[in-house]
C-alpha cells in the first residue's frame, strides 16, 4: 500500500472549480492514456472515464451514468470494498487482482463477460487535504490469469491422465530396466508400480514376440523423439497373455526424463473382436457370393459400395460401369433392358426418398423376369447407411407356374364334363334302385354321389383359381337381400351337420348389389371351415350387422384356433393349417384364397382373428352400394373395421 500524498487539484483538474478542463493538457493525457481510468466524486459517483476504460469494459460512460462504486455489491462480495473505502478516506492503495463481471452490476451494459484486473486507487486533494476526486486505474491481467488457469488445468489433467488413465505410462532404461510405472498399470496388467520397479522387461514378454519387441527397441534407440507403435503380448498378473498396444518415444536426451517412454494399453478384447470381425466378414463375403440372389448396396450419396458377382452377371453390366460405381449410371443402363423403365426409375427414386422396404416384379424386353426386393439400411440410432437391393431371376419359375396353371385349367375343364356325367348317372341309378327296393345299393350310390360332389367342388375351386390368376373371372351383380342369403345358407348347412349348432345373430335389413352366388360361395366356405376346424365343440356363431356404412359379417368357432404366424398364410393358395396334434385337415387349401379374392373384387375386406385353443373368427365387410368409385373407399373401411 502507498501512503497518502498531496496532489494539487488545480494542477490535476485544471481550474479553481475542481472541474476537469476539456482543453487542458491533463484532459488530453487522460483521454489518450492507454491505461483504463475512472474518476469518482468524494461520494463514490462516477464522473468520468477515458477511452481505454471504454475499450477495456466494452461500455460507454452513458451506459453507467449514475454508477456509485461504494454501492457496488459485486465489489462487496469480492471483499475489496474496505480497501476502496480507505481510498475515499484519503489513502493511496493497490487493489488485489479480481475477476470483475460488468453485467452483474448493471445489466446488459457490455458484451464482455469478465476481466481480470489489478487496480491502483488514489484520492485527489486540494491544499487543505480535502478530497476532491478519487481516481481508479485498471491494469488488464485477463490473459495472464487465463494462461495461469490453463497451466494449472493442464497440469491437473496431465496428472489425472497419468494416474487415472486406462492407459499406463512406463519409463525404461536403454538396458530394459523399468524405472517408473504409473498407477494405471493396475488397470492394464494387474500389477502395482512397486512390483515392477527395477525389474527387466524381457521376462514378461511372450516368447514369440520377444524378437519383434527387441527390434522395435533398437529402432527407438536409433531415432530420438520418433513415435513408434507396436503390438505384442506380455504376461498378465493373473497368468494370462495380454495383448498390448504401445506408443514408444526415445527421450534419453530430454532433460528430467532421460528414458525410453512407453504409453501402452490392453487391447486383448480388441484383438479378439478383430479376429471375430475378420471371421464374420469372411462369412458374409462367402454368403454374398454364394447367394442365389444378386445383391447391391447403395450408399446415401448414390455410390455402389457393395455387390456380388451374381448381381453383375444378372444385369449384364460392363466392367467399366461397375468400376465407376455410380448408382445413377447403373439405373440408366438398367432402364434400356426393361419393358417399363419409367415405372422402375420412378419407384426407385420414391423408395430412396421414403426409405421403405418394397417388392416389385421386373419384366425385361427379352422375356426375363426378376423379383426385386429393397430395404433401407438404418442403424439403431436412426442413421441412414444407404439402401440394399436383392434381385432374383424367377424366369424359369414363372414359366413353370404358367405351365402348371395351364395344365390345371385344361385338366379342370376336361374333368368337369365326365364328372358331371358320372354324377347324373349315379343319381339316376340311385332312384332306380330305390324304386326296386334295393336300399343297400341306393345307399352306396348316395355315398358315391356325395364323393362326386366333393370332387366337383374341388374342380370348381381349381377353375376359380385359374380364372383369378388370369383376371378372367366374371361376376353377375344383382340386387339381393343379404339377410335372406345368410338365413338360406345357414338353414341348408344346419341340415348337413348334426354335431354343431349354427347360431344366427343380428340382421342388416339391407339390400346389396353383388354376385349372390359368389358371396354365397364365401359364406358356405367360412361356415364349413368352422364346422371342420371345431370337431370337439358344438357352438358356431354367425353374426351380421352394419358398421361404418358397410355390411359386417362374421363366423366364429371355438375350435383348434390358428397360430399367429399362420394367420396371414392361410389366405395363400394351397396353404393348409394343422390341428393340435399336427394332423392336417383335408382339402386343397384354396377355399380361403378364393373367398378373399371374391370379397376383395366385390369391394370388401376379409380377415381372421384367432387364438390357439380358443377358436377363430373370420370376418368380412361388403359395401351396401357398390360401384367403381366406392370400391377403394370400402376396402379402406374394411381395414378400419379390422383394426377396430
Amino acid at each position: 500500500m502507498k501512503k497518502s500524498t498531496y496532489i494539487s487539484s488545480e494542477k490535476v483538474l485544471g481550474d479553481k472549480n475542481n472541474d476537469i478542463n476539456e482543453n487542458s493538457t491533463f484532459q488530453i493525457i487522460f483521454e489518450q492514456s492507454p491505461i483504463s481510468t475512472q474518476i469518482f466524486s468524494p461520494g463514490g459517483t462516477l464522473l468520468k472515464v477515458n477511452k481505454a476504460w471504454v475499450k477495456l469494459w466494452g461500455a460507454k460512460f452513458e451506459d453507467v451514468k449514475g454508477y456509485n462504486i461504494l454501492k457496488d455489491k459485486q465489489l462487496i462480495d469480492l471483499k475489496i470494498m474496505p480497501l476502496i473505502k480507505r481510498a475515499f478516506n484519503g489513502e493511496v492503495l493497490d487493489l488485489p487482482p479480481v475477476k470483475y463481471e460488468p453485467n452483474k452490476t448493471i445489466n446488459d451494459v457490455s458484451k464482455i463477460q469478465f476481466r481480470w484486473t489489478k487496480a491502483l486507487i488514489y484520492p485527489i486533494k486540494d491544499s487543505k487535504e480535502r478530497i476532491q476526486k478519487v481516481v481508479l486505474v485498471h491494469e488488464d491481467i485477463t490473459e495472464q490469469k487465463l494462461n495461469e488457469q490453463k497451466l494449472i488445468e493442464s497440469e491437473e489433467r496431465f496428472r489425472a491422465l497419468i494416474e487415472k488413465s486406462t492407459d499406463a505410462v512406463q519409463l525404461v532404461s536403454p538396458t530394459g530396466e523399468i524405472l517408473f510405472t504409473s498407477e494405471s498399470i493396475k488397470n492394464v496388467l494387474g500389477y502395482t508400480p512397486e512390483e515392477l520397479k527395477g525389474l527387466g522387461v524381457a521376462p514378461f514378454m511372450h516368447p514369440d514376440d520377444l524378437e519383434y519387441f527387441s527390434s522395435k527397441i533398437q529402432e527407438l534407440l536409433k531415432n530420438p523423439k520418433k513415435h513408434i507403435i507396436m503390438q505384442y503380448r506380455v504376461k498378465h498378473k493373473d497368468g494370462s497373455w495380454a495383448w498390448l498396444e504401445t506408443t514408444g518415444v526415445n527421450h534419453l536426451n530430454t532433460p528430467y526424463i532421460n528414458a525410453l517412454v512407453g504409453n501402452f494399453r490392453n487391447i486383448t478384447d480388441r484383438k479378439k473382436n478383430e479376429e471375430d470381425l475378420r471371421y464374420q466378414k469372411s462369412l458374409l463375403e462367402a454368403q454374398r457370393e454364394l447367394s442365389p440372389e444378386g445383391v447391391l448396396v447403395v450408399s446415401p450419396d448414390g455410390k455402389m459400395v457393395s455387390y456380388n458377382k451374381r448381381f453383375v452377371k444378372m444385369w449384364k453390366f460392363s466392367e467399366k460401369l461397375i468400376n465407376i460405381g455410380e448408382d445413377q449410371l447403373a439405373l440408366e443402363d438398367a432402364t434400356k433392358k426393361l419393358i417399363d423403365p419409367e415405372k422402375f426409375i420412378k419407384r426407385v427414386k420414391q423408395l430412396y426418398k421414403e426409405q421403405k422396404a418394397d417388392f416389385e416384379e421386373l419384366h425385361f424386353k427379352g422375356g426375363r423376369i426378376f423379383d426385386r426386393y429393397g430395404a433401407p439400411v438404418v442403424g439403431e440410432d436412426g442413421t441412414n447407411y444407404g439402401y440394399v437391393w436383392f434381385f432374383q431371376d424367377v424366369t424359369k419359375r414363372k414359366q413353370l407356374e404358367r405351365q402348371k396353371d395351364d395344365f390345371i385349367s385344361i385338366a379342370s375343364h376336361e374333368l368337369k364334363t365326365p364328372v358331371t356325367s358320372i354324377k347324373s348317372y349315379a343319381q339316376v341309378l340311385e332312384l332306380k334302385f330305390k324304386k326296386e327296393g334295393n336300399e343297400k345299393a341306393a345307399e352306396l350310390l348316395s355315398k358315391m354321389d356325395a364323393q362326386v360332389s366333393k370332387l366337383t367342388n374341388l374342380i370348381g375351386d381349381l377353375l376359380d383359381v385359374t380364372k383369378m390368376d388370369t383376371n378372367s373371372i366374371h361376376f353377375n351383380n344383382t340386387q339381393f337381400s343379404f339377410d335372406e342369403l345368410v338365413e338360406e345358407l345357414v338353414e341348408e348347412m344346419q341340415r348337413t351337420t348334426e354335431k354343431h349348432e349354427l347360431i344366427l345373430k343380428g340382421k342388416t335389413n339391407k339390400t346389396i348389389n353383388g354376385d349372390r352366388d359368389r358371396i354365397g360361395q364365401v359364406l358356405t366356405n367360412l361356415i364349413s371351415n368352422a364346422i371342420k376346424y371345431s370337431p370337439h365343440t358344438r357352438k358356431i356363431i354367425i353374426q351380421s350387422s352394419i358398421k361404418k356404412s358397410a355390411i359386417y359379417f362374421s363366423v366364429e368357432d371355438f375350435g383348434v384356433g390358428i397360430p399367429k404366424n399362420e394367420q396371414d398364410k392361410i389366405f395363400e393358395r394351397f396353404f393348409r393349417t394343422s390341428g393340435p396334434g399336427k394332423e392336417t385337415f383335408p382339402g386343397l387349401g384354396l377355399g380361403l384364397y378364393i373367398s378373399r379374392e371374391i370379397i376383395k373384387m366385390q369391394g370388401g375386406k376379409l380377415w381372421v382373428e384367432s387364438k390357439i385353443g380358443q377358436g377363430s373368427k373370420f370376418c368380412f365387410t361388403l359395401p351396401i352400394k357398390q360401384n367403381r368409385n366406392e370400391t377403394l373407399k370400402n376396402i379402406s373401411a374394411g381395414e378400419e373395421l379390422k383394426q377396430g
Side-chain angles (χ1 to χ4, degrees), residues 45 59 91 272 338 374 394 503:
T45 302
E91 294 185 49
K272 184 179 182 301
L338 295 171
V394 295
I503 302 171

Side-chain angles (χ1 to χ4, degrees), residues 44-106:
T45 302
L46 181 63
L47 300 175
K48 193 75 174 177
V49 298
N50 67 353
K51 292 179 181 178
W53 181 91
V54 171
K55 183 178 179 182
L56 177 65
W57 296 106
K60 298 178 181 179
F61 175 73
E62 291 77 12
D63 298 329
V64 294
K65 194 171 182 180
Y67 165 73
N68 191 307
I69 192 171
L70 298 177
K71 297 179 181 179
D72 191 323
K73 188 176 183 300
Q74 190 173 176
L75 295 176
I76 295 171
D77 294 339
L78 291 169
K79 302 187 184 308
I80 63 169
M81 187 57 74
L83 297 177
I84 293 172
K85 287 182 177 180
R86 284 168 60 183
F88 275 85
N89 288 330
E91 294 185 49
V92 177
L93 298 168
D94 286 315
L95 300 180
V98 294
K99 181 183 178 183
Y100 192 81
E101 300 172 73
N103 288 325
K104 278 189 176 181
T105 302
I106 302 176

Side-chain angles (χ1 to χ4, degrees), residues 260-517:
L260 301 176
V261 179
N263 184 296
F264 54 91
R265 62 195 62 86
N266 191 323
I267 60 166
T268 307
D269 289 341
R270 193 178 88 191
K271 277 288 186 180
K272 184 179 182 301
N273 290 336
E274 286 174 357
E275 184 63 30
D276 290 343
L277 189 61
R278 280 193 293 270
Y279 170 74
Q280 293 293 337
K281 185 178 179 182
S282 300
L283 188 63
L284 286 172
E285 286 177 354
Q287 289 176 336
R288 184 185 65 180
E289 292 304 327
L290 292 173
S291 171
E293 299 175 332
V295 183
L296 169 67
V297 181
V298 180
S299 66
D301 59 352
K303 302 292 184 184
M304 296 193 297
V305 294
S306 179
Y307 50 84
N308 63 359
K309 293 177 183 176
R310 189 173 295 275
F311 164 76
V312 179
K313 186 178 180 181
M314 287 174 66
W315 283 95
K316 301 178 181 179
F317 287 140
S318 67
E319 186 176 345
K320 180 181 178 182
L321 187 148
I322 289 297
N323 289 337
I324 294 173
E326 293 287 345
D327 184 50
Q328 184 61 37
L329 296 178
L331 284 172
E332 291 173 4
D333 189 77
T335 54
K336 299 173 185 177
K337 305 167 184 177
L338 295 171
I339 292 177
D340 192 349
E342 292 182 3
K343 178 186 175 184
F344 174 67
I345 288 288
K346 182 179 179 181
R347 189 62 185 153
V348 169
K349 289 181 177 179
Q350 184 181 357
L351 291 173
Y352 280 154
K353 182 179 179 181
E354 296 177 353
Q355 286 294 293
K356 291 181 178 179
D358 186 66
F359 166 77
E360 183 181 16
E361 198 173 86
L362 304 178
H363 292 262
F364 288 72
K365 292 178 181 177
R368 290 192 303 160
I369 303 172
F370 286 1
D371 276 350
R372 191 270 298 147
Y373 303 88
V377 184
V378 181
E380 292 181 358
D381 59 352
T383 303
N384 174 22
Y385 292 109
Y387 208 90
V388 60
W389 300 98
F390 298 92
F391 301 93
Q392 188 174 17
D393 191 332
V394 295
T395 308
K396 290 183 178 179
R397 192 189 78 194
K398 290 292 182 180
Q399 289 173 348
L400 289 173
E401 286 180 359
R402 280 197 294 271
Q403 291 172 3
K404 179 198 69 179
D405 290 341
D406 290 344
F407 169 77
I408 290 173
S409 179
I410 294 168
S412 299
H413 277 97
E414 293 299 322
L415 286 170
K416 193 172 183 180
T417 301
V419 168
T420 302
S421 298
I422 292 170
K423 185 176 179 63
S424 298
Y425 292 145
Q427 289 173 345
V428 170
L429 285 172
E430 181 185 355
L431 290 172
K432 184 174 183 294
F433 282 122
K434 280 183 178 179
K435 286 181 180 179
E436 294 175 354
N438 192 342
E439 294 296 331
K440 187 174 182 180
E443 183 183 350
L444 290 173
L445 284 168
S446 176
K447 291 180 179 179
M448 175 181 170
D449 181 59
Q451 295 301 317
V452 172
S453 294
K454 289 182 180 179
L455 182 58
T456 303
N457 290 335
L458 292 176
I459 293 170
D461 284 348
L462 289 171
L463 284 170
D464 284 343
V465 169
T466 55
K467 288 177 182 178
M468 287 172 179
D469 288 343
T470 56
N471 292 318
S472 59
I473 190 168
H474 297 290
F475 288 92
N476 181 26
N477 290 343
T478 60
Q479 295 285 334
F480 68 92
S481 168
F482 184 78
D483 295 335
E484 286 182 6
L485 174 63
V486 173
E487 290 170 3
E488 176 185 318
L489 290 175
V490 169
E491 183 181 347
E492 182 181 320
M493 297 200 71
Q494 182 67 79
R495 289 197 295 267
T496 66
T497 177
E498 297 177 355
K499 294 181 179 179
H500 295 84
E501 179 186 4
L502 306 184
I503 302 171
L504 186 59
K505 291 185 177 182
K507 283 192 174 185
T508 64
N509 297 314
K510 294 292 182 181
T511 298
I512 65 170
N513 182 26
D515 189 318
R516 191 178 192 277
D517 291 339

